[in-house]
Amino acid sequence: MFEKFDDTAAEAFINCIKRNKKIIQRIKSPAKLRRLRSLGNIVLERISENFHDKGILIALSDEAMEKEFFEKLKNN
């Protein structure tokens, strides 16, 4: 399913993460965050070069940017 993602689907994916309190709560667990990170990597490969929310996908995909990812969730 994620193999067919485009910018519209990627935007829905990001909005779901940002707005769903249950997801936000669950990704505080390292195992759940790793699963989401795997999906985020697939989505990141499928978006266009000019995708407006690319930064949050980059932060999600990079373990070293975990703090920035959670900050981006809070700011949106």
Side-chain angles (χ1 to χ4, degrees), residues 18-49:
K18 288 179 180 178
R19 296 185 179 142
N20 190 307
K21 292 179 183 180
K22 187 171 265 189
I23 290 175
I24 293 171
Q25 181 182 16
R26 287 184 177 175
I27 61 175
K28 291 178 182 174
S29 161
K32 304 287 186 193
L33 182 57
R34 276 192 301 273
R35 290 179 188 159
L36 186 64
R37 186 172 283 127
S38 295
L39 297 175
N41 282 326
I42 296 168
V43 175
L44 184 59
E45 292 175 2
R46 304 287 177 231
I47 59 172
S48 68
E49 190 65 34

Side-chain angles (χ1 to χ4, degrees), residues 6 15 20 24-25 27 31 44-45 49-50 54 62-63 69 75-76:
D6 60 4
N15 285 337
N20 190 307
I24 293 171
Q25 181 182 16
I27 61 175
L44 184 59
E45 292 175 2
E49 190 65 34
N50 297 322
K54 193 173 190 176
D62 186 349
E63 286 185 43
F69 169 69
N75 292 335
N76 292 307

